[in-house]
Amino acid sequence: MGTMRVAVAGATGNIGARTTAALERNGHEVVRISRRLGVDLITGEGLDAALAGADAVVDAMSYEGADRDDAVAYFGTSTRNLLAAEERAGVRHHVLLSIVGIHRVDGNAHYAGKREQERLVSEGPVPWTIVPFTQFHDFAATVTAWTEQDGTATIPPLLVQPIAPDDVADVLAEIATGTPRGRHRDVAGPEPQDLVDMARRTNDARGHTVKLVPTWSTLLGPEMAGNVLLPDDDARIAPTTFDEWLTDPR
């Protein structure tokens, strides 16, 4: 495959920015889709212009809210608008960043939104690949940042098999420049980790002092315990270990 024009939704976010960089390193042309850059997936503003001539789209959008209905509405509206614009533009491949385990967990608002995205993409008009990833190496730090107050943070004792954000970006860039595959196998990091231990080690590596209190929360409850968030046996394993990432935990 020669040089391609790939649009990245959520291009200014953690994974979107890295995916953009990975595609550009490989010589592809990237169109950044982000509200900050004047392309709004909720209103559709700027979308047709952004997708003109695009061969593929990577959807790496994220949503921070905790309300289930809001998450489903946000992901649903933006995905419908994106797919409709892709169909008008003749885009040949829609790649969705998804999450391992979302069909095994009911209560989480973000997961409900991601399930709606998966449904719309898989039933939609554009050939697609859905790629389920495990949590990222920086997930433990993200969770403690949500809950930290007065030097103490609660964190659920989740079992995860985390993956480096740069590895996620490399896989998305590779898939976007290939042919649509439908549902891709799970993609995970090399080894399972305990989230509480990950948080402690991340904070140590970053020189951040906080007391960790292991407990289940409303966002991340016991329905996520055990193997729920772990990848299937046939998962594709990305190379970077959590220990390697900790040497430069950004």
Side-chain angles (χ1 to χ4, degrees):
M1 208 40 103
T3 300
M4 291 177 63
R5 184 177 172 96
V6 182
V8 176
T12 54
N14 180 23
I15 300 299
R18 294 167 196 263
T19 303
T20 296
L23 285 160
E24 288 179 340
R25 271 198 309 274
N26 295 331
H28 300 288
E29 183 187 352
V30 179
V31 181
R32 293 165 174 80
I33 294 177
S34 165
R35 192 176 298 163
R36 259 189 271 172
L37 302 173
V39 187
D40 192 322
L41 288 169
I42 296 298
T43 64
E45 180 193 354
L47 200 46
D48 285 323
L51 292 182
D55 299 295
V57 171
V58 175
D59 183 355
M61 278 187 299
S62 60
Y63 177 77
E64 303 306 326
D67 183 87
R68 184 188 179 114
D69 291 342
D70 288 351
V72 172
Y74 176 84
F75 278 124
T77 300
S78 53
T79 301
R80 281 187 191 92
N81 287 342
L82 189 54
L83 291 171
E86 287 174 30
E87 189 178 21
R88 289 193 295 272
V91 171
R92 297 191 299 272
H93 191 186
H94 180 97
V95 179
L96 175 62
L97 163 70
S98 196
I99 309 170
V100 166
I102 60 172
H103 298 280
R104 299 191 282 264
V105 175
D106 185 53
N108 184 286
H110 188 74
Y111 285 17
K114 296 301 290 184
R115 285 196 298 272
E116 177 68 358
Q117 264 192 313
E118 286 197 3
R119 184 183 72 78
L120 291 166
V121 168
S122 60
E123 295 173 4
V126 181
W128 53 276
T129 307
I130 291 172
V131 197
F133 290 92
T134 53
Q135 282 67 34
F136 310 146
H137 285 331
D138 54 8
F139 181 62
T142 302
V143 173
T144 52
W146 291 340
T147 65
E148 187 177 334
Q149 272 184 324
D150 304 324
T152 301
T154 58
I155 187 157
L158 294 175
L159 191 59
V160 295
Q161 191 162 323
I163 183 170
D166 283 337
D167 288 350
V168 173
D170 288 343
V171 170
L172 287 172
E174 173 202 311
I175 288 171
T177 51
T179 54
R181 304 185 195 183
R183 192 166 185 87
H184 190 282
R185 60 191 170 133
D186 292 350
V187 184
E191 57 209 3
Q193 301 282 346
D194 170 78
L195 196 66
V196 180
D197 184 56
M198 283 172 67
R200 181 179 53 75
R201 291 163 64 200
T202 305
N203 287 332
D204 288 350
R206 290 177 171 176
H208 182 64
T209 306
V210 59
K211 180 176 187 289
L212 297 174
V213 180
T215 183
W216 296 108
S217 71
T218 49
L219 281 177
L220 302 164
E223 61 177 345
M224 292 185 171
N227 295 337
V228 167
L229 299 182
L230 296 185
D232 288 340
D233 291 340
D234 69 341
R236 172 174 175 175
I237 302 299
T240 310
T241 65
F242 183 67
D243 288 317
E244 287 166 339
W245 177 82
L246 273 180
T247 62
D248 184 16
R250 57 196 168 84

